[in-house]
Structure formats: C-alpha cells, structure tokens
Amino acid sequence: MKKKLLFCLCGMLAVAILSTPSMAANLAKAWSITPYAGGYAFDDDENLDPAPVYGLRIGYNITKEWSIEAAVDYSKADGDDRVYRGNGSSYKNDAKMLGYRLEGLYNFLPDTDVVLFIAAGIGGRKLDYDKGSQNSADGHDFALDYGLGFKWFFMDNIALRGDARHIFITDENNNNFEFTLGLSFFFGGEKPKAELPPPPPPPKPEPAPFVEPDSDGDGVIDRLDQCPDTPAGVIVDEVGCPIDTDRDGVPDYLDKCPDTPIELKVDKDGCPIRVTINLNVLFDFDKSDVKPKYHSEIKRVADYMNAYPWEKATLEGHTDSRGTDAYNQKLSQRRVDAIKNYLVDKFGIGADRLTAVGYGESRPIATNDTDEGRQLNRRVQAVMETYIRR
C-alpha cells in the first residue's frame, strides 16, 4: 500500500511538471485553504491496515519562499489479525485517528506555475481503538513530521497539491506515512509589479557657466572666505565663519548652551563654568558655640564669597528632636547666627550678603532615635553655587 501511494504521488508530480504553464506563482502574504484526501500507512506495531485519510490545511505565505500551515486530518483504519488473546484466538482491533500538525514549508522556484516544497513540523494525534477490544492503547501522542510536495497552479489562485510525509510518533517510536492529494485555494497576496521600460536617456547637458569655487560649500566663495574649512551645513556669516549668536567664542553648531550671558566664562561646549561649595557644621547637644575644628570648613566658604563678591548665601540652622518645638526653634536660630557672626567677624564677609534662618527640629536628615542620628541633625548647612564671570 505504501509503495502504491508513493508511486501515485510521483506520477501526478511528473504530470504537473510537464503541463502547460499557467503563469501563476506562490505569492507572499497570501492565505490558503486546502481540502485533501489520500492514504495513511501505520507502523506494524500498531496492528492497523493502511486506510484512507481526509483533512484540511490552512496556510499563510510569510514570503514567497516561506510558509506556515496548520493541518487536521481524520482516518478510520481496520485492525489486522495479529492481535491475540491469551487463549490463542485473534481479533481485529479497529481504530479511529484524529491528527493535527503545525508545519513550516520552504518553496522552491516560487515564481513558476509548478512549485516544489519541503516541509517539517510538530503535532500530535488521538488514536482511539475499538473499545470492545482488549489491550487498546487510546490517547494523545506527540508527533514529529517531515516530507515534500508540489503545488501546480493550473489557475491563478487554485493549485493541485500533492504531499508525502513521514510521521514519527515519539511516544511509541512508531513510523507512519501519509500520501495525499488536494486542491489549494489562495486568497490575497502581493502581486508582482510589472516591469516598466527603461526611461529614455537624458538630453545632453549644456556647458555649465564658470562659477568661482566654494570649497567648503558654505555659500561664500573661496577668495572671500575667512574660514575656508567650515563643516557642511553650518550657518555662516558674510565672511564664511560660523555664527556665534551669544558671542562666547564657541560657534553655534558646537555650542550646547547657545544663550549664555556675555559676562560668563564658558567651557569648550559653550556652557557657563559653575563653581559649587558646601558648608556643614555640627554642634553638641543644647550648644550653639562653634568648635575650632570647623574653622577651616568655614574659611572655605569665606574664601569662596571673597572670590565671588556678587554672590549671597543663605545659612540654615537645625536641631535634633529633644526639647520643645519652641525651644529648638530658638536654639537653631542661635546656631545659625553663630556661623553668620563667625563669617562676619573672622573673615570680614558683609552681613548683608548672609541670610540666617533657623528651622528647629522640622528638617531632620537622620533618625532622632540614636546618638549618631541626633548628632547629624544638630547642624548648620549651606550650599552655594555660582558661575565664573569674565
């Protein structure tokens, strides 16, 4: 039976290849539906005769060459006489099979009317033996398959199709074979574009008039260009130099801060050079006197303010949570005033440049449940930031 089915399929393939071309093709993005029928040969261990098989394929062409398909088929097979009972008698164990697979196809010569393809996929089947028989092995089995086939487009959207598959039942190590013929109906797809005739040759151009050279292409001729190597696309002035709108010495096409005030110094990217300094002075519990060890810390702030006399600073005083809110508010103010007076008295910073604000216990930066956390909260802080002027 297997050999007869294979011979029949090969014969139909030969007829298809020798037929008159229909000028059809396997189109990308086309859907297909293929009812089919054929024969199914079971492994000898399954004790089933070869049987007719009927099914349906639904496919989609991802490209002209690659397709995916889902297939479902059904077969009803007669059992053979090789199943024996314990008393030596035999019986026929008939079965019904429902198969299902998902396959990928590669199509050869997809632009011709006869398209050959190879296929491989995964799936399964449900094989139900006669429930009246003994030793039946019903259930779902996992399957792998591969094979080949052809599609003969005898009309633009209809093709005669033949398939041959080797189906390996992994659960039982059984080798089954399926040979089918069907009609494929195609829907949609990308139609091949008609080839247009080549355009006529262009007319012979007139001799170009003499134009003075502009090597960097900025619109200013070389003999007037004072910046002859300006990069392409950069806006230039009347002498061919890049525009510098904010006049900081960095041309606009390189300037990452194009609106920098004229009085500020800038870096290579045209951005103002910024200077930042922090002040952080800690105090003992219920104290507002400045410890000598913070002299250098406060001096750094004084040096900064002397270097940038136009800048002002806001000093912030804080306490831990011990004591009443009112008391802590006054204590924080005494602490911040002590730092302000230190800057004025020791380093000559103008009092009008310093603002001292006490916040009491309202802005802790650490827990007040430990000695270490409370120490961090008993502080005067300031952050000062400015830009360097020319």
Side-chain angles (χ1 to χ4, degrees):
M1 180 65 178
K2 297 179 185 177
K3 293 182 178 179
K4 290 181 179 180
L5 289 171
L6 181 60
F7 178 78
C8 180
L9 179 64
C10 293
M12 293 215 171
L13 175 60
V15 171
I17 294 174
L18 296 175
S19 299
T20 303
S22 64
M23 301 306 291
N26 199 63
L27 302 180
K29 299 183 180 180
W31 289 89
S32 66
I33 183 170
T34 306
Y36 62 88
Y40 195 96
F42 294 88
D43 192 284
D44 291 342
D45 290 343
E46 296 188 297
N47 297 317
L48 294 170
D49 292 334
V53 65
Y54 312 94
L56 182 70
R57 304 180 194 274
I58 297 177
Y60 178 72
N61 293 341
I62 303 171
T63 66
K64 293 189 296 184
E65 291 82 9
W66 290 99
S67 309
I68 56 173
E69 287 186 343
V72 178
D73 53 26
Y74 172 81
S75 181
K76 184 175 181 181
D78 294 333
D80 59 24
D81 292 326
R82 286 173 287 179
V83 180
Y84 295 93
R85 297 185 176 91
N87 59 10
S89 63
S90 65
Y91 63 92
K92 286 189 174 183
N93 196 3
D94 298 343
K96 298 176 182 178
M97 183 198 72
L98 177 65
Y100 43 90
R101 300 191 299 275
L102 181 66
E103 296 180 332
L105 281 66
Y106 183 79
N107 301 282
F108 298 93
L109 303 176
D111 295 322
T112 62
D113 59 317
V114 177
V115 178
L116 306 179
F117 62 85
I118 56 176
I122 60 173
R125 71 168 188 184
K126 188 175 189 300
L127 187 63
D128 290 331
Y129 283 95
D130 185 348
K131 297 302 182 181
S133 303
Q134 299 177 8
N135 301 323
S136 63
D138 299 345
H140 288 273
D141 298 312
F142 183 75
L144 301 173
D145 74 277
Y146 65 90
L148 51 80
F150 71 90
K151 288 177 277 192
W152 170 42
F153 287 88
F154 59 89
M155 297 179 65
D156 282 350
N157 298 316
I158 303 177
L160 176 67
R161 171 167 170 166
D163 289 82
R165 297 288 188 277
H166 173 206
I167 302 172
F168 179 63
I169 309 300
T170 61
D171 301 29
E172 307 293 337
N173 290 330
N174 289 335
N175 294 283
N176 295 352
F177 296 89
E178 182 182 84
F179 306 96
T180 62
L181 282 174
L183 279 179
S184 294
F185 301 89
F186 291 84
F187 308 92
E190 293 181 341
K191 300 294 184 181
K193 296 180 180 179
E195 293 187 5
L196 298 177
K204 187 175 180 180
E206 295 292 332
F210 173 75
V211 178
E212 289 200 56
D214 174 15
S215 301
D216 55 7
D218 60 0
V220 179
I221 59 176
D222 289 353
R223 65 183 177 87
L224 300 178
D225 200 336
Q226 296 181 16
C227 300
D229 298 320
T230 304
V234 173
I235 300 175
V236 299
D237 57 18
E238 63 278 2
V239 294
C241 292
I243 298 295
D244 178 13
T245 304
D246 56 8
R247 294 179 295 165
D248 60 359
V250 179
D252 288 358
Y253 79 97
L254 297 175
D255 200 334
K256 296 181 180 178
C257 301
D259 299 320
T260 303
I262 189 66
E263 70 271 10
L264 299 184
K265 288 186 178 181
V266 298
D267 58 18
K268 61 181 179 59
D269 295 321
C271 293
I273 300 174
R274 184 168 55 186
V275 178
T276 302
I277 190 168
N278 297 323
L279 172 68
N280 188 41
V281 178
L282 303 182
F283 293 83
D284 290 338
F285 173 67
D286 201 26
K287 300 293 184 181
S288 61
D289 54 312
V290 181
K291 295 180 180 181
K293 69 178 183 179
Y294 292 110
H295 177 86
S296 60
E297 177 82 4
I298 300 171
K299 183 179 183 300
R300 286 192 312 106
V301 174
D303 292 342
Y304 168 88
M305 298 194 72
N306 284 325
Y308 307 104
W310 60 87
E311 294 298 328
K312 296 184 179 182
T314 298
L315 309 175
E316 299 179 353
H318 306 273
T319 71
D320 62 29
S321 62
R322 289 181 293 182
T324 66
D325 290 349
Y327 181 82
N328 284 336
Q329 177 64 39
K330 293 178 182 179
L331 177 59
S332 68
Q333 190 64 48
R334 291 199 302 272
R335 286 172 175 170
V336 74
D337 286 340
I339 298 298
K340 176 180 178 180
N341 294 334
Y342 202 97
L343 285 165
V344 173
D345 298 338
K346 298 287 186 181
F347 301 107
I349 304 301
D352 59 337
R353 297 176 59 196
L354 299 169
T355 301
V357 182
Y359 289 99
E361 61 182 84
S362 63
R363 296 185 179 184
I365 60 171
T367 178
N368 280 302
D369 296 331
T370 65
D371 291 339
E372 294 80 3
R374 288 189 290 270
Q375 175 67 79
L376 293 174
N377 290 332
R378 298 192 295 268
R379 70 198 189 277
V380 168
Q381 288 181 306
V383 177
M384 286 153 280
E385 183 176 87
T386 190
Y387 292 100
I388 300 177
R389 299 189 180 187
R390 296 180 185 273

